[in-house]
Amino acid sequence: MPVLWLVLIVIALGVVGFFAGRQRALASAGGDARDLHSLPNYYGANVFLFVVIPSLLMLLMWALIQPIVIENQVEGLIPESAIAEGSSLGLVMSDVRRVADGLDAAVAQGAMTAERASSIRTEFTDVRDRLGAVGVALGSDVGSEVLRAAQRYRALSGTYGWMKTIAVLGLALAGFAYAFVSTNKTFRARNTVEAVLKALLILASSIAILTTLGIVLSMLFEARNFFAQYSWTEFFFGSTWSPNFRGGSELGILPLLWGTLYISFIALLVAVPIGLFAAIYMSEYAGPRMRAVAKPLIEILAGIPTIVYGLFALITVGPMLRDYFAQPLGLGESSASVATAGIVMGIMLIPFVSSLSDDIINAVPQSMRDGSLGLGATKSETIKQVVVPAALPGIVGAVLLAASRAIGETMIVVLGAGAAAKMSLNPFEAMTTVTVKIVSQLTGDTDFASPETLVAFALGLTLFVITLGLNIVALIIVRKYREQYE
C-alpha cells in the first residue's frame, strides 16, 4: 500500500477516534459535560493522539530501517566477480535498485505480467528489451547477478511493504482500542493530552539541535579525512588555490576567504544603509498609504530567485560597470567582478534588512518616543538617540542574517564574479568564494577518497566557524545594549 494512503487511513481512523472518544466520555457522564474531569474535546484528542502518533512513528522508523535490512539481505547474492574493476559494491547496489524500479514500472504499465516477471531470469534478453528505459538509465548491460538481485530486492520490498501496512494499521487499531476503553468521566484526559503535546514540543525543539549536531559531525569526520591527506597549515595559510585530480594540488583557502569576505562586504555596504534607511522611513515618516505600498514592493525583492539576480548581474550590471567605470579608469576589462556580484547581492539583501528592521523599530514602545519629544528633542534626534539604539539588538540580528545570506550565496557569484581564486584589492577583477568552490569540487565524476573532493567539507566547516563567530559577536553587542535599555 502506498505510504500516502497509509497515512490518510491512519488520520481518518484518528478522526473517527476523536468523535468516538468524545461521545463515550459524554455517555459515561450521562450527557452532562460538567461531570467530566476534562472538557469533552480532550477525551477525543486523547484517542486521536493514541491512534496517530504511535502508528506514524512506526511508519517513520520502518521507512528508515527497511532499506538497510533489504540491502543487507540482497548484497549476499552479488558475488565478487560481478563487481567490475574500478567499481564497488555500492555502485552495483545502485544498479540493483534501478533495475528493481524498472521491473516495478514495467509491471505497473502492463509491459509484463507477474508470471513473466517471475520467469525473467530465463528470458533475460526479452525482458531487457522490454525494459529499455532501465538499460538507458544504467548506461551498460545488466548482468544476470544484478538481475537476480533486483528480483530479490523487489520481492523483499513487496513482502516488507505488506508487513509495514499490517504493523502500522494494527498499532493504530490497538491505540484506538486502548484509548477508547480507558475513556470515562474520571479519566484525566487533559493531563494526558497536555503531557503528549509537551513531549512533541520538546521533540520538535530537539530536532533543530540534533540536525545542527549531525551537520557539524558529518563535516568534522570528512574534514578529518581531508587533513589526514593534506597539511592543515598549507590549507589555512596557503595563498594558491589550484586543485588537480591527477595530483600536485595546491589547496590554500586564503584566496577563497578573501573573495567571500570582499564580496560580502560590498553587499552589506549596499544593503545595510539602504535597508535601514528604508525601514526608518516606513516606520517613522511614511503614512499608512505609502507604507501599504512601499513595504510589499520592497519585499518582492526577497521572492526573486537568485538565478534571476545572477542573470541581472551578468547581462546588465557587469557590462555597465565595465563600460562606465572599469575600462575608463584602467582597472579591468571583464564584466565579471567583485563589484558586480557585491552590488547585485546587496540589492537582493535589502528586504532582509529593511523588513526585519522595520518590525523591530515598530516594536519600540511609543512611550520612549513621547518622552524624548516631551523633553524637546526633534523627531530626527529622537530616532537617532532613542529609537535606533533601543532597536539595535534587532537591527544587529537583521544585519547578521543578511551577512550569513551573503556568505552562503553561490549563483550570483558564479554569474557575476567569475571563478578566479585570487587575492586583489581591485573591485573590478574577477574572484570567487568558498561556496562556489564547494560546488565545483563536488560536481562531476569525483573520487570521494581524494583530497580534491574532501576539501569541500573542510571549506564547509570553515564557513560554519565563520558564521558561528559572527553570531558570537552579534550576541555580545545585543547583550551590551540590552543591559542599557532594559
Side-chain angles (χ1 to χ4, degrees), residues 7 41 61 80 82 118 150 163 170 179 202 217 260 290 298 328 368 408 416:
V7 172
N41 286 343
M61 295 300 298
E80 293 185 2
S118 65
M163 291 173 60
I202 294 174
L217 290 178
T260 300
M290 176 61 71
I298 294 176
M368 297 182 68

Side-chain angles (χ1 to χ4, degrees), residues 259-413:
T260 300
L261 298 178
Y262 200 176
I263 294 174
S264 300
F265 174 76
I266 294 178
L268 293 178
L269 206 59
V270 173
V272 173
I274 296 176
L276 183 57
F277 292 161
I280 292 173
Y281 171 75
M282 287 190 294
S283 60
E284 300 296 325
Y285 292 100
R289 285 188 177 181
M290 176 61 71
R291 178 181 172 83
V293 174
K295 188 168 183 179
L297 289 177
I298 294 176
E299 291 178 346
I300 286 176
L301 293 174
I304 299 176
T306 55
I307 183 64
V308 176
Y309 280 110
L311 293 174
F312 176 62
L314 178 66
I315 297 172
T316 305
V317 178
M320 184 183 67
L321 291 178
R322 178 194 62 198
D323 297 338
Y324 292 98
F325 294 95
Q327 287 181 347
L329 296 175
L331 296 177
E333 299 291 335
S334 174
S335 60
S337 65
V338 172
T340 301
I343 291 173
V344 175
M345 194 184 299
I347 296 172
M348 180 193 69
L349 297 177
I350 288 174
F352 287 89
V353 178
S354 65
S355 294
L356 292 175
S357 298
D358 178 42
D359 295 336
I360 294 299
I361 292 173
N362 282 324
V364 175
Q366 184 62 33
S367 59
M368 297 182 68
R369 297 179 177 86
D370 295 339
S372 176
L373 295 172
L375 291 174
T378 63
K379 191 174 185 65
S380 61
E381 290 173 339
T382 299
I383 294 171
K384 182 176 64 175
Q385 299 180 11
V386 176
V387 176
V388 172
L392 190 60
I395 294 174
V396 170
V399 174
L400 176 63
L401 176 62
S404 301
R405 185 73 176 82
I407 290 173
E409 178 54 41
T410 303
M411 190 55 64
I412 295 176
V413 178

Side-chain angles (χ1 to χ4, degrees), residues 99-110:
V99 173
D101 291 340
L103 292 172
D104 290 335
V107 171
Q109 295 172 4

Side-chain angles (χ1 to χ4, degrees), residues 188-218:
R188 299 176 178 269
R190 182 185 63 191
N191 297 357
T192 303
V193 171
E194 290 183 350
V196 172
L197 292 179
K198 181 180 178 181
L200 289 177
L201 293 175
I202 294 174
L203 176 63
S205 61
S206 302
I207 288 175
I209 300 173
L210 294 176
T211 302
T212 303
L213 183 62
I215 292 173
V216 173
L217 290 178
S218 64

Side-chain angles (χ1 to χ4, degrees), residues 17 33 80 106 128 137 227 248 292 306 323 400 409 427 429 436 446 470 474:
E80 293 185 2
R128 188 171 56 189
F227 289 121
T306 55
D323 297 338
L400 176 63
E409 178 54 41
E429 287 189 8
V436 173
T446 58
L470 288 175

